[in-house]
Amino acid sequence: MKLQSLVLATAAALTMTTTFAIPAGTWTVAAGAHYVDPKSDNGTLDNILSVKIDDDIRPTISGEYFIANNVGIELLAAIPFHHDFTLNDADGNKILTGKTQHLPPTLSVQYHFDGYNMPLNIKPFVGVGVNYTTFFKERISTGGDLDLDDSVGVAGHIGLDIPFAPTEAFRIDARYMDIKTDASLDGADIGEIDISPWVYGVAFVKTF
């Protein structure tokens, strides 16, 4: 009887885990907004001027397809982020200003901790992937031809899904993106800009 009870209890636990796991073949779509917070030290250009990149917030959308139970492939997209930047001398005096826009699509493999009896049925997740950032509409106050190269780097992702309906949830997440770009002015290399931001977001998630 004890062995039978143990077998039945184990089977029930496995059934519960399977029932609450996000099954392979599931799709989710998340729509929200993300805040890009660049690192504080963004590099030095022309070996003289330190770079300071401002933050920005924009609407975002992501889609995720589950290739296995609780394991998904996610693509994050957004409308262009806009950043103002300043170039300062060694004393912190503003010498030049500029602007740029960028798109940072990010592809990640993610694991969702579903079926673990979290409070409020919260579903944490973690992910790692690759970020590709393309820059455009670069401008500088001197009127020169500023060009920022595209960037490819590692991206990390962590977050929580808080369900409020069987197929709907509220998401809070944070990402780290390794974004570095080589800068040139009028065709001459002037150094590297290191943005490498933390990206914080909220979103509405729908499961299909």
Side-chain angles (χ1 to χ4, degrees):
M1 288 296 293
K2 289 183 178 180
L3 179 59
Q4 183 180 10
S5 298
L6 180 60
V7 170
L8 290 174
T10 303
L14 291 173
T15 301
M16 180 175 295
T17 301
T18 302
T19 299
F20 286 103
I22 303 174
T26 299
W27 280 93
T28 66
V29 175
H34 279 80
Y35 167 71
V36 174
D37 184 23
K39 60 175 293 189
S40 57
D41 179 9
N42 303 124
T44 302
L45 296 185
D46 223 11
N47 296 316
I48 300 173
L49 303 177
S50 63
V51 185
K52 173 62 178 175
I53 308 288
D54 287 347
D55 50 17
D56 192 29
I57 184 169
R58 296 287 161 174
T60 55
I61 189 168
S62 65
E64 185 171 8
Y65 177 74
F66 285 78
I67 58 174
N69 289 352
N70 292 345
V71 179
I73 303 292
E74 184 213 48
L75 178 63
L76 172 71
I79 67 171
F81 287 90
H82 296 232
H83 292 284
D84 295 330
F85 61 87
T86 59
L87 303 179
N88 304 317
D89 64 16
D91 295 324
N93 300 311
K94 184 187 298 183
I95 304 300
L96 298 172
T97 61
K99 298 177 181 291
T100 188
Q101 297 183 33
H102 72 82
L103 285 171
T106 303
L107 186 68
S108 302
V109 178
Q110 305 195 139
Y111 183 80
H112 294 251
F113 296 90
D114 201 359
Y116 291 86
N117 297 320
M118 298 285 185
L120 302 176
N121 201 25
I122 290 174
K123 298 176 175 60
F125 60 86
V126 295
V128 64
V130 61
N131 165 262
Y132 172 78
T133 298
T134 182
F135 297 88
F136 52 97
K137 293 187 178 180
E138 302 99 320
R139 288 177 287 172
I140 197 165
S141 56
T142 59
D145 182 18
L146 176 68
D147 182 70
L148 302 178
D149 289 348
D150 293 349
S151 168
V152 178
V154 175
H157 192 198
I158 187 170
L160 297 172
D161 286 339
I162 307 170
F164 57 85
T167 61
E168 298 172 350
F170 176 72
R171 173 171 293 176
I172 303 171
D173 69 344
R175 302 172 189 262
Y176 175 79
M177 297 182 179
D178 180 24
I179 302 176
K180 298 181 178 70
T181 175
D182 292 324
S184 61
L185 184 62
D186 296 327
D189 294 337
I190 57 174
E192 182 184 74
I193 297 176
D194 186 359
I195 302 173
S196 297
W198 280 96
V199 183
Y200 307 101
V202 294
F204 165 77
V205 183
K206 178 71 175 179
T207 302
F208 300 93

